[in-house]
Amino acid sequence: IYTTYEFYRDYLDGTPYQDYAIWIRDIWTKPKPEAFSNLRFWQYADNARIAGIDVPVDLNVSFHPLP
């Protein structure tokens, strides 16, 4: 589930959805993986520039091995 901390806290925590893999969007602070047993990704930028791409892109980090 792609979410912010606030949405997770207000709508997902304490429901069956809290057991799904979480992708946190937080462009201000690094999340604490230990706070979520199911944290898989962190989006840390939403306006990065990459050579060869003409528009801003998101940047993400994986906390879980990818296949």
Side-chain angles (χ1 to χ4, degrees):
I1 297 174
Y2 177 80
T3 185
T4 63
Y5 287 116
E6 296 80 13
F7 189 88
Y8 183 88
R9 180 193 64 226
D10 294 345
Y11 301 103
L12 303 174
D13 197 23
T15 73
Y17 294 108
Q18 73 181 5
D19 297 328
Y20 285 60
I22 299 294
W23 186 337
I24 288 287
R25 177 194 183 273
D26 189 335
I27 59 173
W28 306 108
T29 60
K30 181 179 179 180
K32 296 182 173 120
E34 63 274 7
F36 299 91
S37 62
N38 52 350
L39 181 62
R40 296 295 185 264
F41 298 98
W42 164 40
Q43 179 189 339
Y44 65 91
D46 62 359
N47 62 354
R49 294 290 182 173
I50 303 290
I53 301 176
D54 295 332
V55 297
V57 298
D58 296 347
L59 295 178
N60 301 277
V61 170
S62 173
F63 292 106
H64 189 38
L66 299 173

